[in-house]
Amino acid sequence: MPEPQSIGALGPSALANVMNGIRQKQADGITPGPIDDQPTPDEPGHPEYHRRRRAEWALKRWETATPPRYRRADATHPDVQQWADDVAADPDTAGSLLLTGTTGTGKTYQAYGALRRIAAAGPRVYEIRATTAADMYGLLRPKGSERGTEEELRRLVRVPLLVLDDLGSAKASEWTEEVTYRLINERYNACRPTLYTSNLPARAANGAPDLTSALGERIVSRLSEDTRVVAMTGTDRRRRGAA
């Protein structure tokens, strides 16, 4: 069986014939068609493929961090949806969100729904923590954590996305005001988005209880600059159907 030969080995005349054939095809209007070698959304290398993989990972993380009662939570309020979309797109500019309203109006449900919506968007970073104000104060009290209060506060400050439920529900003191101020101020300075819920309005008329009276003016001042306030209305959902 003869050994294969290159075109160059066949001599100048063979190479000339090949080149003449290529030129003739070009003259006849026959040109090579485009080669579609771009990955599809279902293949590695396509941005949508990698977004879906990030979303799958983030949703698993969300489910692990979410109490069983809220694992079907969905952000249905348009303002909550918009904030979640802004966080997913650019957390550094999204700001924070404060959901206010009386007990049972769905604030916590919407909060966990917002975390879920952010996860489903497939963000490049998805590190979350959700806690209540009461649990936070308990953790930050002396001997409240083996890590120490300063380390626990640093962890709360540095987590990229924090939910702080029932803000303003604890009995006010100089200590709670100082702890809350440090948390909110440091997250505010670092442009880290935080979702707060509270039974109290940010400000109320006629001397009614509000977050200003519960937390202090300097805390509410920080909140007012970059925090969207959404008032949740309606009856207590937990009591619906009760006799």
Side-chain angles (χ1 to χ4, degrees):
M1 183 175 184
E3 293 292 328
Q5 294 179 297
S6 65
I7 292 178
L10 298 176
S13 59
L15 179 61
N17 289 336
V18 171
M19 297 304 298
N20 287 334
I22 294 174
R23 283 192 288 269
Q24 184 60 47
K25 288 182 179 179
Q26 292 176 339
D28 294 340
I30 302 174
T31 57
I35 300 175
D36 185 7
D37 59 355
Q38 295 300 313
T40 69
D42 295 324
E43 296 176 330
H46 194 283
E48 178 60 15
Y49 173 89
H50 295 288
R51 187 202 68 78
R52 291 175 185 171
R53 300 290 82 77
R54 293 196 303 269
E56 289 176 3
W57 179 88
L59 285 168
K60 290 179 181 178
R61 193 177 185 95
W62 172 83
E63 186 173 355
T64 300
T66 299
R69 185 171 298 279
Y70 296 105
R71 285 181 186 160
R72 294 185 180 181
D74 187 21
T76 57
H77 194 292
D79 293 336
V80 177
Q81 292 176 341
Q82 184 60 61
W83 178 80
D85 292 346
D86 291 344
V87 172
D90 186 0
D92 291 339
T93 61
S96 295
L97 182 69
L98 169 61
L99 303 180
T100 66
T102 55
T103 300
T105 50
K107 301 182 297 296
T108 305
Y109 179 92
Q110 292 291 326
Y112 279 105
L115 294 183
R116 181 180 186 175
R117 187 178 179 95
I118 295 168
R124 297 191 177 278
V125 176
Y126 191 74
E127 297 179 30
I128 62 173
R129 186 166 179 183
T131 186
T132 65
D135 287 340
M136 179 187 74
Y137 296 135
L139 189 68
L140 298 179
R141 291 188 186 280
K143 299 183 180 180
S145 168
E146 294 180 355
R147 293 189 180 94
T149 57
E150 288 299 316
E151 176 59 23
E152 291 293 358
L153 183 58
R154 279 193 291 270
R155 287 160 60 89
L156 289 167
V157 165
R158 292 174 180 173
V159 68
L161 183 55
L162 174 69
V163 170
L164 185 56
D165 211 1
D166 285 335
L167 185 64
S169 60
K171 184 178 180 180
S173 68
E174 291 184 5
W175 180 81
T176 58
E177 181 178 340
E178 185 63 28
V179 165
T180 309
Y181 174 78
R182 287 184 62 188
L183 173 72
I184 292 177
N185 183 60
E186 291 189 42
R187 292 189 64 82
Y188 163 85
N189 288 339
C191 298
R192 295 189 178 105
T194 309
L195 198 163
Y196 309 96
T197 76
S198 179
N199 291 345
L200 300 173
R203 297 184 186 275
N206 303 322
D210 58 15
L211 280 178
T212 303
S213 60
L215 302 177
E217 182 64 43
R218 61 179 182 162
I219 293 176
V220 176
S221 175
R222 291 292 189 280
L223 291 175
S224 64
E225 183 169 340
D226 79 332
T227 303
R228 311 177 203 184
V229 180
V230 177
M232 305 291 294
T233 59
T235 58
D236 188 340
R237 299 183 182 186
R238 299 186 183 99
R239 294 179 178 269
R240 288 178 182 175

